[in-house]
Amino acid sequence: MVIKDLGPAVVRVWDDMRPITKNMLARAMSTGQSNQNPAQKFSYDAHADWEVSRLLTALDEQSRSAGIRKDSEKLGEITELAETCVRVLESQSGSAEVFIQLAERALKKHDYNKLDKLSDRLFERFSAAEIAEVVRQTDMPQIRAIAYETLSMLPVPTLVPLLDDPLYSEIGASALEQKAYEYESEEAREVLEQYDRGFVNEPTGE
């Protein structure tokens, strides 16, 4: 694969990437669909997260261009690199923005199996605040529903700090309400009653 053949937007993003991120993606491409962690021998940080996400955006945009759609070889190379970016982000990212990006891609492709796997990772890896940030940032009701459902499965003590954050207090209260009435959590009901009275004691756990 020759990056310069994938379009100027992709080239610009690639040229701005750090060598360590490029090497990580090269390794991920070489492992293909294997079970190896594509970033296991590399330092993955917030900047790498941003770089790979930005490259994925450029690749997706380029794949929609008329010229690329007519060139099956280049389209295949763009698709391969894009899927490599997706695998890296799925395995490493804990960012609300990246989750939304990947979930939107899955919805556009009607790939509901992928969406289910993303939902599992949201529960396994993301903090309550990052999940609440997904709710806050997305305009898509399907993604917001996934995030709320994930919040409602978290332990009540994990949700309580959201009530003290002006950005997330309503989201936290909604998640606790769902937990209280759909999952019949008495602990969640007690916290909601305290919240309505203007104070919340730290729960001791169910």
Side-chain angles (χ1 to χ4, degrees), residues 17-105:
M17 292 172 68
R18 298 172 300 173
I20 191 170
T21 308
K22 294 177 183 179
N23 290 338
M24 178 182 62
L25 288 172
R27 176 180 172 79
M29 289 193 72
S30 69
T31 60
Q33 298 295 330
S34 75
N35 291 325
Q36 295 183 50
N37 184 332
Q40 64 186 137
K41 292 190 177 180
F42 295 88
S43 174
Y44 192 89
D45 55 20
H47 194 75
D49 207 47
W50 176 78
E51 288 178 316
V52 178
S53 172
R54 186 166 170 253
L55 179 61
L56 179 58
T57 297
L59 290 164
D60 282 346
E61 290 175 354
Q62 187 69 4
S63 70
R64 292 190 289 269
S65 70
I68 292 295
R69 301 297 299 181
K70 295 176 183 178
D71 190 327
S72 60
E73 183 177 352
K74 285 187 180 179
L75 181 59
E77 291 178 346
I78 285 175
T79 300
E80 181 184 6
L81 184 52
E83 288 306 309
T84 299
C85 291
V86 168
R87 289 200 307 277
V88 170
L89 293 169
E90 284 179 346
S91 68
Q92 298 297 317
S93 183
S95 158
E97 292 85 351
V98 169
F99 178 84
I100 292 168
Q101 178 183 18
L102 297 178
E104 286 179 348
R105 288 183 93 254

Side-chain angles (χ1 to χ4, degrees), residues 72-176:
S72 60
E73 183 177 352
K74 285 187 180 179
L75 181 59
E77 291 178 346
I78 285 175
T79 300
E80 181 184 6
L81 184 52
E83 288 306 309
T84 299
C85 291
V86 168
R87 289 200 307 277
V88 170
L89 293 169
E90 284 179 346
S91 68
Q92 298 297 317
S93 183
S95 158
E97 292 85 351
V98 169
F99 178 84
I100 292 168
Q101 178 183 18
L102 297 178
E104 286 179 348
R105 288 183 93 254
L107 285 168
K108 287 176 183 176
K109 295 174 180 290
H110 304 289
D111 190 344
Y112 299 108
N113 182 52
K114 173 78 73 178
L115 199 61
D116 285 342
K117 291 179 179 178
L118 287 170
S119 301
D120 291 341
R121 290 189 177 94
L122 191 67
F123 177 77
E124 293 164 359
R125 184 182 305 127
F126 285 64
S127 68
E130 279 298 324
I131 300 171
E133 189 65 18
V134 171
V135 175
R136 197 174 75 87
Q137 288 196 30
T138 187
D139 293 324
M140 299 190 72
Q142 303 99 316
I143 299 175
R144 187 177 290 112
I146 289 170
Y148 265 124
E149 182 69 22
T150 303
L151 283 172
S152 71
M153 293 188 292
L154 297 179
V156 170
T158 305
L159 297 175
V160 169
L162 298 179
L163 301 176
D164 292 327
D165 190 322
L167 283 177
Y168 306 133
S169 58
E170 290 186 9
I171 296 170
S174 295
L176 284 164

